[in-house]
Amino acid sequence: MEGSSSSSMTTSAAAAAEIVFFDLETTVPSRNGGQRFRVLEFGAIVVCPKKLVELESYCTLIRPADLSLVSSTSARVNGITREAVATAPLFEDVADRIFDILNGRVWAGHNIHRFDCPRIREAFADIGRPAPVPIGMIDSLEVLTLKFGRRAGNMKMATLASYFGLGQQKHRSLADVRMNLEVLKHCATVLFLESSLPDIFGSNGQGSSGIVTRSRTYNNTRFPTEGGETSRKSPPNASLGHQRSAPYTITKFGKMTERMKDVLCKAQGRQAINNILKHSHLLLR
C-alpha cells in the first residue's frame, strides 16, 4: 500500500519546533519462538505546538520480509492481515519518508518511550541505516500518569478515550494518533480548569466529590462530580447569577439586595432613572 500524505513534507531543519505524533502497529511475536516485533504500519501527524492544528500527515502499511510473521494473533489485535500487507512496501522503501517526518522534531505518542521508539530504531538498524533522532519527547502515558492520575481507570488509550467519550480505539496507526491528540487536549483542559478554580473543581486530580463552592449548595442543587459521563456533559440548568444570590439571602447584605429588587421594580417605566434616584435612600438603611 502506497503511503499517503496531506501535503508535502517539510525538512526537519525548518520544522525543529513542530511536534510529530506517531504510532506503530506491529506483529505479535510468538512467546516461544524467540521472535521480536516487526512493523506493520506507521502513521504520523505533524502539529503546530502553538495551535495544535494538523499540518501534515502520513500513513503506510509495511510488509515484513517474512510474511509468515503476520500471524492470526496479530490480525486479531489490529486487524492487519497477511493479505493486507502482501503488496505493501518494505520498510526500506519508505524509510526515507519516515526519517524525514521524525528526524529533528519533538516526538509524541502513547507509550512511545518503551515501545514505539525501540521499534523504530530496530527497523532502521535492520536496513543498516541510522535512525532518526528527536529533539524532545512527549510520552502521553508518562505525562498523564504523573499529571492526570488514574481517575479514568488504567492508563490505556482505549480507557482514556472511553472516559472522555471519544469512541473506541481502532488500533490503526493514524486513527490512534488522532485519538491520542484528542485525549491530551481533553486532559489538559481538565487540568487547566482544576488549576484555575481549585476550590470548585478540586486540585488533587481525583474529582471534586463534595466540593461545590464556599456555600454547600446553590438552590439545594449540587454541582455534578467528575466521575460520571452524564454529569460531565450536563451542567446545572440554573444560571450563575441566580446561584450567586441564594447564599446571601439570610444576611444583611441579602436584605439589601432584596430591597434593590423592589427599587428596580418600582423604577420601571418612562421615569426609570428618576425613580431609581427617588428610592435610592432605601439602600442606605
Side-chain angles (χ1 to χ4, degrees), residues 227-238:
E229 181 75 18
T230 303
S231 64
R232 287 185 296 106
K233 292 186 177 182
S234 305
N237 293 324

Side-chain angles (χ1 to χ4, degrees), residues 54-169:
E54 181 176 328
L55 302 176
E56 48 197 341
S57 64
Y58 174 74
C59 185
T60 182
L61 288 172
I62 296 173
R63 171 167 53 94
D66 184 358
L67 277 175
S68 66
L69 297 176
V70 188
S71 63
S72 58
T73 303
S74 299
R76 285 196 300 270
V77 171
N78 49 41
I80 300 176
T81 63
R82 191 175 300 176
E83 292 73 23
V85 296
T87 58
L90 295 168
F91 184 82
E92 60 189 34
D93 299 325
V94 294
D96 286 341
R97 199 66 168 275
I98 293 175
F99 185 93
D100 289 342
I101 294 171
L102 294 178
N103 193 54
R105 285 190 167 108
V106 176
W107 293 6
H110 203 67
N111 199 29
I112 59 171
H113 187 247
R114 297 179 60 184
F115 185 80
D116 299 81
C117 293
R119 305 292 85 78
I120 287 291
R121 290 193 293 267
E122 291 170 357
F124 274 91
D126 287 343
I127 61 173
R129 291 187 49 177
V133 178
I135 62 170
M137 191 175 300
I138 304 170
D139 191 319
S140 57
L141 174 62
E142 297 174 359
V143 172
L144 296 182
T145 299
L146 177 64
K147 300 293 186 179
F148 195 72
R150 296 181 177 271
R151 68 181 80 181
N154 62 40
M155 300 305 293
K156 293 181 179 180
M157 181 58 60
T159 305
L160 290 164
S162 177
Y163 178 78
F164 287 112
L166 298 175
Q168 294 183 342
Q169 184 180 8

Side-chain angles (χ1 to χ4, degrees), residues 208-276:
S208 54
S209 60
I211 302 176
V212 285
T213 60
R214 292 180 182 177
S215 174
R216 291 185 179 180
T217 59
Y218 279 165
N219 298 330
N220 297 321
T221 302
R222 284 190 176 275
F223 280 104
T225 60
E226 191 180 75
E229 181 75 18
T230 303
S231 64
R232 287 185 296 106
K233 292 186 177 182
S234 305
N237 293 324
S239 66
L240 184 60
H242 185 54
Q243 291 171 343
R244 284 180 176 173
S245 65
Y248 302 106
T249 55
I250 61 173
T251 66
K252 292 183 179 180
F253 182 75
K255 294 179 180 178
M256 186 173 71
T257 58
E258 292 302 319
R259 290 181 181 178
M260 172 63 88
K261 291 179 182 178
D262 294 337
V263 170
L264 293 177
C265 290
K266 294 177 182 179
Q268 293 178 354
R270 298 177 61 183
Q271 302 296 328
I273 297 178
N274 290 335
N275 286 335
I276 289 176

Side-chain angles (χ1 to χ4, degrees), residues 1-18:
M1 175 180 175
E2 190 66 27
S4 59
S5 176
S6 61
S7 64
S8 60
M9 295 294 160
T10 59
T11 63
S12 60
E18 293 173 347

